[in-house]
Amino acid sequence: MTEPNASDLAEVPAGTSAEQRVTRKGMWGQGSGDTSGYGGIVRSFERFPRTDRPYGSYFDEIVDRLHGLLPSVDLDHVVVAHDELTIFVPKADLLDVLIACRDDALLRFEVCVSVSGIHFPDLVGEELHAVYHLLSITHNRRVRLQVTCADADPHIPSAVPTYPMTDWHERETYDMFGIIFDGHPALTRILMPDDWEGFPQRKDYPLGGIPVEYKGAVVPPPDQRRSYS
Amino acid sequence: MTDESVGTVYVAQGGDWDEIVRGQADRGDEKIVINMGPQHPSTHGVLRLILEMDGETVTSLRPAIGFLHTGIEKNMEYRTFAQGSTFVTRMDYVAPIFNEVAYCLAVEKLLDMKVPERADVIRVLFMELNRIASHLVAVGTGGMEIGALTMMTIGFREREMILDFFEAVCGTRMNHAYIRPGGVAIDLPDDGLPRLKGVIDWLHKHLWEYGAFCNENPIFKGRMKGVATLNLTQCMVYGASGPVLRAAGYPWDLRKSQPYCGYETYDFDVITWDTNDAYGRFRIRLAEMFESLKIVEQCYDRLEATTGQPVMVEDPKYALPGQLTVGADGQGNSNEHIKHIMGSSMEALIHHFKTVTEGFRVPAGQAYVAIESPKGELGCHVVSDGGTRPYRVHMRDPGFNHLQAAPAMCEGAMISDVVVAVASLDPVLGGVDR
């Protein structure tokens, strides 16, 4: 938790979009007579701060190999945290990267175990993230590929031709986040009913719930309660 | 009954089967579309299978899921990290401990937290007992569906012994919320180890019965052998893991290859089979129960050696302040703790209130933790934005992934093989749909 000032903001590494830096103020008492001091807390942080080389472990090897195989692809946004490697992949190059990950003998990620989505409404132009978790059984390694797309243009190429097991995972990510995976053989809703409107896991989709009333006092539904973040 | 858009419709109730057979014979066309589920007993919950049949041969199978979707992942975004355990445990309700461990390991990874040794041992103990219980349900219900009803009755008898032990430790048979970020909710009770000894003895006495009933039973083998095959190439195509992959001969077990909770220090074997079929998966599950029992016995010794050691991180920011005890009115905070916060220390009351209602903060970032659940790779992807609630939680359930392979296992086979195929994948729809 730090006060934002000019020098703090100047620490943002070159190449990071300004929108990725998140600033949050206070927990409660915003604009009220609260004198506890909590209302003055301002936190500023990056969601996915880039990691500089060396990445450690086997991570350099994977990134170098991908650079060597696909020299024209921008794979510079790499995050290493908690012993996990995340590579941000431009969505136009996703299929090339996936094919390289699967077919190259030094990479050989046989399985894409999971496709998951994340919604960041405040990251303008890259609100929707698709997260691919790849597993190499041969080398006993894992890597995470992250692809972003804009809410206004929620298209990402489908991984199904390369990794057939992502079929249902992509359907679920479409169902929950509305990311359209171009080239998917049958991109339909999978968990929600076919005629459902809206994408439930998006942050602007309400959780719902029933306001609970007890002797005039009302307990609001969980999505309308006070948040500490 | 006829419907203009789909043609003749037969329903299963209130009619005479002979009429259906005659009516179908008149059509002179063997093609028939069958809707199996979602309330079919052999669909393990609420799975719907849409079968296109040519006579008794399946020409097309399409699984439809989502009937048990309860929005658990969405709900978790509105509760604290500690409350998350209570939600994930309701996903795959046959193996709830695994959901909790995967989730807690992911949260602990984001916190860079190391749990006490005894907590790890208790986690392993609970996971392995739960693995036996889950496999018992798999072979029990799987047997019941092909007429081996005794498999189910004795399977649930043994499972009940394990659930009784769970109940004695944490108060609930299922939906435990026992594994918490930072450790486990409560240590074993005073009679925990003798009770565990009783469970171990019981399992030693009875686990061999399943093999004696089935392994060489000609009817059982006739229904299971060469049925629902998925070879190694197909396993890779469908991303299969767990008993399905090991039945294709590949010794891949995350407990060995990417150990967690100290599994590298336990002595056990990875069981494989080379037949690619439902029978191989059944034999793997049987043998894995004995391997799990081996681990449980090692846990017994370690629990004896670590008696009295903490089961939750010492850091008061993360550990719930009140020790749980069992009183006359059930489980709750210990009396001493209530006296302390209500009677003597305002600061302790504030701390208790903040930890329980606000929870703890988890640094921004994301983590993916995969563990070997009884069904295969169970993954948990947790994203935090630095607040007290998860920003996003996604569970990668093995059953969800494996059901994709059902058409490949069933098309071209008989309709009776569909039941065996689904049972051999062991999907639990609570986990599939979440």
Side-chain angles (χ1 to χ4, degrees):
Chain A
M1 295 184 189
T2 52
E3 294 284 336
N5 51 41
S7 65
D8 196 24
L9 294 172
E11 282 170 23
V12 180
T16 308
S17 60
E19 292 86 357
Q20 284 205 354
R21 194 163 186 89
V22 189
T23 305
R24 287 223 188 83
K25 289 179 187 167
M27 291 194 289
W28 56 74
Q30 288 290 305
S32 75
D34 177 29
T35 54
S36 67
Y38 283 111
I41 292 173
V42 178
R43 296 187 307 137
S44 176
F45 61 93
E46 273 177 84
R47 277 227 169 79
F48 300 106
R50 286 168 194 245
T51 310
D52 294 324
R53 281 174 185 271
Y55 303 129
S57 191
Y58 55 83
F59 303 149
D60 293 280
E61 214 177 296
I62 289 178
V63 177
D64 288 343
R65 185 68 188 167
L66 277 173
H67 273 300
L69 290 169
L70 304 162
S72 60
V73 177
D74 171 27
L75 297 172
D76 292 331
H77 190 170
V78 172
V79 181
V80 176
H82 313 293
D83 222 14
E84 291 181 7
L85 171 67
T86 311
I87 306 175
F88 280 74
V89 179
K91 69 177 181 182
D93 303 312
L94 176 66
L95 294 189
D96 292 337
V97 173
L98 287 176
I99 290 172
C101 284
R102 185 191 64 179
D103 291 346
D104 183 64
L106 294 178
L107 298 171
R108 193 64 85 215
F109 290 94
E110 295 98 342
V111 184
C112 178
V113 287
S114 163
V115 182
S116 165
I118 320 174
H119 185 212
F120 294 109
D122 54 340
L123 291 186
V124 179
E126 40 193 56
E127 290 96 341
L128 296 166
H129 292 218
V131 186
Y132 301 79
H133 291 102
L134 305 189
L135 165 70
S136 167
I137 293 178
T138 306
H139 300 296
N140 198 14
R141 291 171 171 180
R142 287 180 192 275
V143 66
R144 178 189 297 123
L145 303 180
Q146 198 152 335
V147 184
T148 66
C149 66
D151 201 359
D153 175 32
H155 290 268
I156 288 178
S158 169
V160 174
T162 314
Y163 289 110
M165 71 291 276
T166 56
D167 182 345
W168 283 20
H169 298 273
E170 287 188 351
R171 280 176 67 190
E172 187 189 333
T173 311
Y174 160 72
D175 195 356
M176 293 294 150
F177 291 90
I179 299 175
I180 298 166
F181 292 93
D182 296 324
H184 189 287
L187 194 68
T188 52
R189 288 192 181 270
I190 186 165
L191 295 178
M192 304 303 287
D194 289 341
D195 54 355
W196 196 263
E197 282 180 19
F199 301 104
Q201 285 277 7
R202 290 198 181 190
K203 287 290 173 185
D204 49 10
Y205 190 97
L207 179 64
I210 302 158
V212 180
E213 193 178 324
Y214 180 70
K215 292 190 177 178
V218 171
V219 180
D223 58 332
Q224 289 160 30
R225 288 179 201 159
R226 182 173 64 195
S227 158
Y228 296 95
S229 52
Chain B
M1 186 162 56
T2 53
D3 182 320
E4 278 182 17
S5 57
V6 294
T8 314
V9 177
Y10 301 115
V11 290
Q13 65 269 29
D16 188 340
W17 285 103
D18 288 338
E19 274 174 36
I20 293 179
V21 173
R22 273 198 299 277
Q24 186 65 20
D26 290 346
R27 285 181 60 198
D29 156 22
E30 295 273 289
K31 184 176 157 183
I32 187 167
V33 178
I34 292 183
N35 175 53
M36 198 165 152
Q39 278 91 19
H40 192 277
S42 74
T43 51
H44 292 256
V46 278
L47 169 66
R48 181 183 172 206
L49 300 171
I50 302 144
L51 301 159
E52 211 174 289
M53 313 284 302
D54 181 22
E56 277 200 65
T57 307
V58 180
T59 52
S60 156
L61 181 152
R62 293 291 172 268
I65 62 168
F67 296 94
L68 210 50
H69 177 62
T70 45
I72 291 176
E73 291 174 0
K74 177 84 173 173
N75 264 294
M76 289 173 74
E77 294 169 12
Y78 296 92
R79 316 285 165 151
T80 65
F81 277 96
Q83 285 173 314
S85 270
T86 318
F87 280 89
V88 292
T89 191
R90 283 157 172 79
M91 290 179 170
D92 179 353
Y93 43 79
V94 176
I97 295 291
F98 292 89
N99 305 327
E100 297 173 21
V101 171
Y103 168 74
C104 290
L105 287 177
V107 174
E108 284 156 11
K109 204 171 190 183
L110 284 172
L111 287 166
D112 288 323
M113 180 191 274
K114 184 152 175 28
V115 305
E117 186 199 349
R118 186 170 167 88
D120 261 345
V121 177
I122 293 181
R123 284 178 178 188
V124 170
L125 169 74
F126 265 62
M127 278 194 284
E128 293 311 319
L129 284 175
N130 202 178
R131 190 185 310 276
I132 297 175
S134 172
H135 280 348
L136 284 170
V137 172
V139 301
T141 56
M144 176 180 73
E145 286 158 12
I146 59 171
L149 193 68
T150 313
M151 289 295 280
M152 188 274 284
T153 55
I154 62 171
F156 278 80
R157 176 190 69 195
E158 263 76 274
R159 177 170 175 263
E160 205 60 30
M161 302 301 290
I162 294 172
L163 297 189
D164 280 350
F165 176 74
F166 286 172
E167 187 178 5
V169 175
C170 61
T172 47
R173 297 167 68 248
M174 295 166 77
N175 301 339
H176 314 84
Y178 177 58
I179 317 289
R180 306 275 174 89
V184 298
I186 187 172
D187 202 353
L188 300 188
D190 293 338
D191 63 344
L193 282 178
R195 272 178 183 275
L196 179 58
K197 189 88 185 63
V199 175
I200 293 172
D201 291 343
W202 180 277
L203 292 175
H204 269 303
K205 193 174 161 201
H206 291 288
L207 271 189
W208 61 270
E209 290 174 10
Y210 300 84
F213 274 135
C214 294
N215 283 357
E216 298 305 327
N217 183 318
I219 302 172
F220 190 84
K221 280 161 78 175
R223 289 297 302 273
M224 304 280 271
K225 275 205 160 176
V227 170
T229 55
L230 209 61
N231 63 28
L232 188 55
T233 314
Q234 288 171 307
C235 283
M236 286 295 135
V237 167
Y238 287 105
S241 51
V244 182
L245 178 59
R246 291 194 285 274
Y250 202 100
W252 178 257
D253 188 321
L254 291 172
R255 291 176 292 175
K256 286 279 189 203
S257 56
Q258 299 172 0
Y260 48 91
C261 291
Y263 265 115
E264 64 276 17
T265 60
Y266 293 88
D267 173 34
F268 65 100
D269 293 326
V270 178
I271 310 294
T272 57
W273 210 258
D274 60 356
T275 54
N276 306 333
D277 59 1
Y279 183 74
R281 287 167 214 142
F282 169 78
R283 290 298 294 268
I284 284 180
R285 292 199 175 97
L286 281 196
E288 277 186 1
M289 287 197 270
F290 286 98
E291 294 303 317
S292 292
L293 193 53
K294 256 161 73 179
I295 301 176
V296 168
E297 285 176 317
Q298 294 166 52
C299 289
Y300 181 91
D301 298 336
R302 294 182 192 200
L303 285 172
E304 218 169 19
T306 57
T307 307
Q309 290 182 15
V311 295
M312 187 55 129
V313 284
E314 303 278 357
D315 192 337
K317 266 169 73 182
Y318 301 107
L320 270 185
Q323 279 300 311
L324 293 177
T325 52
V326 182
D329 55 348
Q331 196 180 45
N333 285 321
S334 70
N335 250 337
E336 287 66 37
H337 178 70
I338 300 296
K339 270 187 215 157
H340 179 57
I341 62 172
M342 300 307 285
S344 60
S345 171
M346 187 65 196
E347 288 71 28
L349 178 65
I350 294 170
H351 174 71
H352 183 109
F353 184 73
K354 265 184 80 79
T355 316
V356 171
T357 59
E358 181 181 337
F360 50 82
R361 287 173 189 282
V362 172
Q366 57 181 334
Y368 178 85
V369 171
I371 64 171
E372 186 74 26
S373 94
K375 289 130 182 122
E377 171 168 337
L378 176 72
C380 185
H381 180 216
V382 176
V383 185
S384 171
D385 68 341
T388 59
R389 302 163 171 186
Y391 192 78
R392 161 93 169 122
V393 178
H394 177 65
M395 287 297 241
R396 185 267 188 201
D397 189 84
F400 178 83
N401 193 74
H402 285 159
L403 270 180
Q404 296 183 93
M409 296 160 77
C410 297
E411 287 176 4
M414 311 290 272
I415 189 171
S416 57
D417 296 339
V418 173
V419 175
V420 175
V422 172
S424 78
L425 288 176
D426 189 21
V428 173
L429 272 290
V432 172
D433 295 342
R434 285 152 287 130

